[in-house]
Amino acid sequence: MKPPSPVDGSTLPDTAAERAAAPGGAPEILDAPPSAEARPAVRRSWRDRFGRPPRRPLLMGFAAALMLLIGGFGAGGVLVHDPILTNSPLGFWRYGHGRDLAAMLIYGGVGLMVWAWIRLGREVLARRVGGRAVLTTAVVWMAPLLFAPPLFTRDIFSYLAQGGLPLAGFDPYEVGPEAMPGIFADNVHYFWQDTPAPYGPLFILIAKAVAWVTGDQIILGVVLMRLALLPGLLLFVWALPELTRRLGGRVAVALWVAVANPVMVVHMVGGGHNDLLVVGFLATGALAALRGRHALGIALATLAMAVKASAVIALPFLVLVWAARLSGSQRVRIAKAIGAGVAVFVAVFAACTLAAQVNLGWLPALSAPSMIVNWMSLPTAVGEFSHTLVSMLVNVPKQPFINVARVLGAILLVYIAVRQWWAARDGGPDAVRRAGVVLLATAVLSPAMLPWYVSWGMALVAAAAWSVRALQVTVFLSVMLTICYYSDGEDALYNPPYLVAWAVVGVVAAISLVRPDPLRLSAGAPERSRRPAPVPVPDGADRSRG
């Protein structure tokens, strides 16, 4: 019987080195901690300190990031009136053939980023690199995008406008950016001009601070808004290694899936989405709860909800983690944990609301995303498909079909959430994993779905054990989520040739994760394919026998 390949098998368990606990309980990315008895002390190079990241993926991804940076000034979410480029010799980059060249550079950068990510993934699956190397590589890829125009979105302009509204005396939960004419509102996408802010009080407080610091310097505002969101990414990276060990995954795999992913690099960092704060608070909240610091865990998850309401899904599961540590019958323990959790939630959320000087008007504004109609939301897709079939026979409006499908989707989501919550009643890491599953279901079954919504669930699910097949599916979906909007933030979901072309890229990328050069494009590929494949030898096997 042929022994399994190191990248085959149902799951990818952590190595003993990656499971090693850090001193003092602090999570740390450990690739292969040296033993004083096993090896002599040697001077470590700078590459050793950063985990010896593989050069080719690192440099390829960095080149891709530079392509995205340069192309973004012409075909990204550019300013309506750019104070630097418009009247300069480089102004051509924003118009006509110059913009076409910029768009080509962006999409070429996305393709190169995917290629670099796949090559890094092969190194991870083969256990040639560890978590530190993956993190170093991801940081190098992200760094240039901190100074790029918004990529594949214009949301960051909405954030600045929503922060400027209270400074101008308006309630951001009552009016949209159009109530405050000026450079911020001018650059908000027309779809959101009259839409009140659907974000929680903590994010309004952050956006208000950024708008106050930047004044009318919108380019500075874009950069500072990204920097204001970076603590979320730092919290996520800090918590993910230990969270992964507790949930049974591999640190390097979790970082590759969740941090080095093109969705994180291009959308979350390059686009500058406030979901970065959500994933940071969720991951650290889950880790705090698993460490036994339950009040802190509830407080951090509440902060995530004070940015985006969807994070509230995690709170009932963290309550179960708390209940498992209490005494009494199961019902008594859950009741005690619910009471304590509600008290922490109310105190933290009230503090955020008072600090932001807003009210609860954001709750009615939560319906704003439902104005988005696209088939990435499964209920919306079912409604649109049903309408298409019926309209072949009779001319009927589309919206009733979508409304009915969305109601059915909400019922299904409630069923999934309740079932997962009850299955997690014993608490522990399983409750955290199930919280991630429900957060993913929330993103897919909500009335509207955007690519960065999957980050809510991935903040927790990434820490679990992954099969190779699941990683391949994730590769395909990540490619499609990265490009489902055009580089300027407009919807690309109804452009079949564009989607088919990128679907081919996604399939090839998924296959090449475990089978390099599936199209046999490299020199000598046909000859190599005719050679007998070497039989992989698992770790620990006797290699002395022929």
Side-chain angles (χ1 to χ4, degrees):
M1 179 177 177
K2 186 177 86 169
S5 165
V7 298
D8 292 335
S10 58
T11 61
L12 297 166
D14 208 342
T15 62
E18 288 171 322
R19 288 195 303 268
E28 183 181 354
I29 300 168
L30 300 175
D31 299 324
S35 170
E37 296 80 4
R39 65 181 68 175
V42 295
R43 176 177 245 175
R44 301 179 68 194
S45 69
W46 68 268
R47 290 194 70 222
D48 293 324
R49 295 180 184 277
F50 290 100
R52 299 191 67 82
R55 281 194 177 95
R56 286 190 177 182
L58 185 145
L59 295 177
M60 286 170 57
F62 183 68
L66 292 179
M67 293 169 67
L68 291 165
L69 169 66
I70 297 169
F73 286 103
V78 298
L79 298 174
V80 174
H81 301 290
D82 192 309
I84 297 176
L85 292 183
T86 300
N87 297 317
S88 75
L90 299 177
F92 80 96
W93 198 238
R94 291 165 42 90
Y95 308 103
H97 295 307
R99 188 186 185 282
D100 293 340
L101 291 173
M104 292 173 61
L105 203 60
I106 286 180
Y107 291 112
V110 171
L112 187 59
M113 183 68 71
V114 170
W115 188 11
W117 183 51
I118 293 301
R119 295 193 66 154
L120 179 63
R122 293 177 196 157
E123 301 293 314
V124 170
L125 292 185
R127 298 181 182 273
R128 288 191 290 265
V129 299
R132 194 186 302 273
V134 175
L135 180 58
T136 298
T137 303
V139 169
V140 170
W141 295 353
M142 292 174 183
L145 301 184
L146 294 176
F147 307 99
L151 298 173
F152 296 89
T153 184
R154 300 187 68 85
D155 281 7
I156 203 165
F157 298 127
S158 295
Y159 300 164
L160 292 170
Q162 289 156 359
L165 283 170
L167 297 177
F170 297 99
D171 185 346
Y173 297 146
E174 293 290 337
V175 299
E178 66 176 4
M180 181 191 64
I183 191 168
F184 288 161
D186 290 345
N187 287 281
V188 174
H189 193 282
Y190 68 88
F191 192 83
W192 304 113
Q193 283 285 349
D194 60 350
T195 305
Y199 307 119
L202 176 59
F203 183 70
I204 294 298
L205 178 63
I206 294 171
K208 186 161 62 172
V210 173
W212 178 77
V213 170
T214 59
D216 59 355
Q217 302 298 315
I218 193 166
I219 295 177
L220 177 62
V222 169
V223 174
L224 289 185
M225 181 60 75
R226 275 206 189 93
L227 295 178
L229 301 177
L230 272 188
L233 179 59
L234 297 177
L235 287 173
F236 183 48
V237 168
W238 178 84
L240 189 57
E242 184 178 338
L243 193 62
T244 300
R245 297 183 188 103
R246 290 177 179 270
L247 267 64
R250 275 184 59 200
V251 174
V253 172
L255 287 166
W256 180 77
V257 167
V259 179
N261 194 306
V263 174
M264 172 65 80
V265 177
V266 177
H267 276 304
M268 303 281 280
V269 176
H273 291 285
N274 57 11
D275 303 79
L276 276 176
L277 294 173
V278 177
V279 301
F281 287 133
L282 283 177
T284 51
L287 178 58
L290 292 176
R291 284 181 167 185
R293 304 179 66 180
H294 302 290
L296 177 60
I298 296 292
L300 288 167
T302 303
L303 292 179
M305 183 200 168
V307 175
K308 276 196 169 180
S310 51
V312 71
I313 297 294
L315 287 170
F317 291 88
L318 298 188
V319 163
L320 293 177
V321 177
W322 197 342
R325 301 288 187 93
L326 300 176
S327 59
S329 66
Q330 187 175 73
R331 290 186 178 181
V332 170
R333 288 187 282 111
I334 292 176
K336 288 180 180 177
I338 289 176
V342 168
V344 174
F345 169 81
V346 170
V348 173
F349 195 81
C352 291
T353 302
L354 291 174
Q357 298 180 341
V358 294
N359 52 37
L360 297 179
W362 70 297
L363 296 177
L366 292 177
S367 62
S370 65
M371 297 189 301
I372 302 172
V373 177
N374 66 49
W375 56 259
M376 278 199 301
S377 160
L378 286 185
T380 301
V382 170
E384 288 191 316
F385 182 70
S386 301
H387 171 261
T388 300
L389 295 179
V390 174
S391 62
M392 293 178 180
L393 304 175
V394 59
N395 187 18
V396 291
K398 180 193 293 187
Q399 196 60 42
F401 289 85
I402 293 175
N403 292 341
V404 170
R406 285 176 169 179
V407 170
L408 295 177
I411 294 172
L412 177 59
L413 178 58
V414 170
Y415 170 77
I416 293 173
V418 172
R419 185 183 178 96
Q420 291 293 321
W421 186 81
W422 183 244
R425 59 189 179 276
D426 291 331
D430 184 57
V432 172
R433 182 183 61 81
R434 292 181 185 276
V437 170
V438 177
L439 284 164
L440 281 177
T442 301
V444 175
L445 294 174
S446 292
M449 198 279 204
L450 293 170
W452 39 94
Y453 288 4
V454 298
S455 64
W456 311 334
M458 288 299 290
L460 305 179
V461 172
W466 287 79
S467 68
V468 175
R469 182 56 57 87
L471 291 176
Q472 290 182 288
V473 172
T474 300
V475 166
F476 174 79
L477 294 177
S478 297
V479 171
M480 299 308 295
L481 288 172
T482 302
I483 55 82
C484 62
Y485 276 72
Y486 294 123
S487 60
D488 61 358
E490 296 296 337
D491 189 346
L493 289 166
Y494 297 90
N495 183 345
Y498 172 85
L499 295 178
V500 169
W502 279 104
V504 171
V505 173
V507 170
V508 172
I511 295 173
S512 65
L513 179 65
V514 294
R515 196 201 315 169
D517 195 16
L519 301 180
R520 301 181 184 176
L521 299 177
S522 63
E527 289 75 8
R528 286 196 303 270
S529 67
R530 289 193 289 267
R531 299 174 189 166
V535 178
V537 180
D539 293 339
D542 185 357
R543 300 171 186 266
S544 62
R545 300 176 185 175

